[in-house]
């Protein structure tokens, strides 16, 4: 090379993140215990339930991260839905388990609008839904959403008439593959998808929904028999005599 030294550039590995380092330090027996619990459970499990069944000192977050990584390219993935962990068929393979018979249950536009308002504005009453929509909301729209299990009565507003307040459920999060309500699309995402007109009025904003299931200061708890929704039995007058 005419007396010139040949310069060799060696690739430099990027430093691993702290999460990756912790995941690699997970012991195989801990991974097997966690894997067995998640496979055996018919329902998604939250981290407190998993931690209570694992030996003391196990780094649950690191073990979950490692298990999630191990299953990322498999036919079954470890996913977090509604703040809980579960195994589900990989998204690109769901067609393998789809049924040939399809039952069409199309929600009306009114029901879709009602669901969106409840999701973003919860806890919200029927009157508040109507005020936001600008039109009356039929009882059927709310009933359909209650039957699907996507919404639930939360409590009663501390206001004249004590109207029922509504919120979404874990079934809603699971159906739409949301880990939390924070994952609902924001203003820019809604505009980008064409669901909102780009020419919005000044000051328009999309509310940030809360996952807190606790009643607010302006809500009273529900009582058995006080619902006129067909969800709780009314007291039997004969039984009180």
């Amino acid at each position: 090379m005419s007396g010139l030294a040949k310069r060799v550039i060696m690739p430099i590995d990027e430093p691993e993140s702290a999460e990756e380092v912790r995941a690699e330090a997970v012991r195989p027996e801990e991974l097997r215990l966690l894997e067995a619990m998640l496979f055996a459970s018919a329902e998604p499990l939250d981290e407190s339930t998993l931690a209570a069944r694992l030996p003391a000192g196990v780094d649950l977050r690191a073990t979950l991260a490692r298990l999630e990584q191990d299953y990322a390219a498999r036919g079954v993935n470890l996913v977090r839905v509604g703040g809980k962990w579960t195994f589900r068929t990989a998204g690109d393979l769901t067609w393998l388990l789809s049924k040939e018979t399809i039952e069409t249950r199309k929600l009306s536009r009114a029901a879709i609008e009602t669901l969106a308002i409840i999701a973003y504005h919860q806890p919200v009453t029927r009157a508040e839904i109507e005020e936001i929509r600008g039109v009356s909301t039929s009882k059927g729209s709310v009933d359909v959403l209650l039957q699907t299990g996507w919404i639930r009565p939360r409590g009663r507003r501390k206001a004249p008439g004590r109207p029922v307040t509504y919120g979404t459920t874990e079934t809603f999060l699971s159906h739409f593959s949301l880990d939390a309500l924070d994952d609902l699309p924001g203003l820019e995402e809604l505009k980008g998808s064409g669901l909102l007109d780009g020419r919005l009025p000044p000051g328009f904003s999309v509310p940030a929904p809360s996952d807190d299931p606790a009643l607010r200061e302006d809500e009273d708890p529900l009582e058995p028999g006080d619902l006129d929704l067909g969800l709780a039995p009314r007291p039997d007058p004969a039984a009180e005599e």
Side-chain angles (χ1 to χ4, degrees):
M1 299 243 346
S2 303
L4 296 177
K6 184 177 180 181
R7 185 182 180 187
V8 179
I9 300 176
M10 300 297 293
I12 300 176
D13 294 333
E14 294 184 0
E16 294 181 316
S17 66
E19 190 70 26
E20 290 173 334
V21 172
R22 289 170 56 208
E24 289 182 359
V26 172
R27 291 181 292 185
E29 59 269 24
E30 297 172 355
L31 205 62
R32 293 181 68 236
L33 287 172
L34 184 62
E35 183 180 34
M37 281 193 292
L38 290 166
F39 262 123
S41 177
E43 301 292 337
L45 299 174
D46 58 36
E47 293 183 9
S48 60
T49 301
L50 293 170
R53 298 180 183 178
L54 288 172
V58 173
D59 189 335
L60 179 60
R61 292 289 179 87
T63 309
L64 283 167
R66 174 62 182 276
L67 197 60
E68 184 179 22
Q69 177 184 340
D70 288 352
Y71 276 87
R74 299 189 185 182
V76 175
N77 299 151
L78 177 62
V79 298
R80 191 173 182 227
V81 176
K84 300 179 180 180
W85 293 89
T86 186
F87 281 111
R88 285 195 173 179
T89 304
D92 60 332
L93 298 178
T94 53
W95 59 272
L96 288 170
L97 302 178
S98 62
K99 294 182 179 180
E100 295 296 331
T101 56
I102 300 176
E103 180 183 359
T104 302
R105 298 183 63 185
K106 186 176 181 181
L107 288 178
S108 66
R109 180 181 179 86
I112 294 173
E113 291 177 354
T114 300
L115 177 61
I117 291 171
I118 293 174
Y120 281 96
H121 292 265
Q122 58 188 300
V124 62
T125 66
R126 187 190 301 271
E128 291 165 346
I129 294 171
E130 293 178 349
E131 181 180 354
I132 295 170
R133 290 189 64 218
V135 295
S136 297
T137 300
S138 68
K139 185 174 184 295
S141 297
V142 175
D143 287 344
V144 168
L145 296 174
L146 288 168
Q147 291 169 6
T148 61
W150 291 350
I151 68 170
R152 66 181 179 88
R154 284 175 47 98
R156 284 191 177 274
R157 184 80 76 207
K158 294 179 181 178
R162 300 181 67 246
V164 173
T165 57
Y166 297 96
T168 54
T169 64
E170 286 191 7
T171 303
F172 168 80
L173 295 176
S174 178
H175 182 84
F176 292 99
S177 298
L178 300 172
D179 178 31
L181 289 176
D182 288 343
D183 295 332
L184 285 169
L187 178 59
E188 295 305 320
E189 292 173 290
L190 291 171
K191 288 169 62 177
S193 64
L195 294 176
L196 285 179
D197 192 335
R199 297 169 296 178
L200 296 172
F204 181 87
S205 63
V206 174
S210 170
D211 281 302
D212 188 0
L215 296 178
R216 306 280 181 87
E217 291 184 358
D218 62 349
E219 290 179 289
D220 281 326
L222 296 170
E223 298 177 3
D226 72 350
L227 293 178
D228 190 19
L229 299 170
L231 300 177
R234 290 181 174 277
D236 184 1
E240 298 178 356
E241 295 178 356

